[in-house]
């Protein structure tokens, strides 16, 4: 699966990009037809410590799953987003299985 990463208002270092590719790439285990993934990261200009916005979008034929998280670090946002996407992928597969059984 190809993972596209885009950062806004900052330059993502290579370690962050590798972390994102590893975490998001692990979603392949939960769905075999993921086309690609897009990760958007943005630093919001506020005085709040939780000013990192991370959006992860997974493209599946006929569907797309999107998760948006606001956290203290991008690593935390990606981790939480991937966990949420795992749950969504499980539900999607269960729904497909139920539809095929009927």
């Amino acid at each position: 699966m190809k993972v596209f990463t885009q950062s806004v208002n900052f330059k993502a270092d290579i370690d962050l990009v590798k972390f994102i590719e590893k975490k998001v790439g692990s979603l392949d285990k939960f769905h075999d037809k993921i086309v690609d993934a897009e990760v958007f990261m943005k630093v919001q200009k506020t005085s709040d410590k939780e000013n990192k916005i991370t959006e992860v979008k997974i493209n599946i034929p006929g569907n797309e799953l999107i998760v948006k998280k606001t956290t203290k670090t991008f690593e935390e946002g990606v981790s939480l987003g991937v966990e949420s996407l795992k749950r969504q992928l499980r539900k999607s597969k269960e729904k497909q299985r139920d539809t095929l059984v009927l």
Side-chain angles (χ1 to χ4, degrees), residues 27 29 31 42 44 47 72 74 81 86 88 90 92:
L27 291 171
K29 300 174 195 170
H31 199 289
K42 182 179 179 181
Q44 191 174 21
S47 60
K72 290 181 183 179
F74 290 115
K86 285 178 186 178
Q88 289 184 39
R90 283 188 200 115
S92 174

Side-chain angles (χ1 to χ4, degrees), residues 32-80:
D32 57 345
K33 296 193 181 184
I34 297 175
V35 177
D36 60 19
E38 300 173 32
V39 180
F40 302 97
M41 299 172 291
K42 182 179 179 181
V43 178
Q44 191 174 21
K45 307 245 188 232
T46 65
S47 60
D48 191 14
K49 290 181 182 179
E50 291 191 358
N51 66 342
K52 313 286 190 296
I53 300 170
T54 307
E55 184 176 314
V56 183
K57 181 169 106 174
I58 300 290
N59 295 308
I60 301 170
N63 196 7
E64 68 181 19
L65 305 174
I66 301 173
V67 173
K68 189 173 182 179
K69 299 288 180 184
T70 304
T71 56
K72 290 181 183 179
T73 66
F74 290 115
E75 291 84 356
E76 181 184 11
V78 169
S79 294
L80 291 172

Side-chain angles (χ1 to χ4, degrees), residues 6-38:
Q6 183 176 3
S7 55
V8 179
N9 297 337
F10 77 102
K11 181 166 173 37
D13 68 352
I14 192 71
D15 291 334
L16 177 59
V17 173
K18 286 182 181 179
F19 174 82
I20 290 168
E21 288 175 352
K22 182 179 178 184
K23 274 292 202 185
V24 175
S26 71
L27 291 171
D28 269 345
K29 300 174 195 170
F30 297 92
H31 199 289
D32 57 345
K33 296 193 181 184
I34 297 175
V35 177
D36 60 19
E38 300 173 32

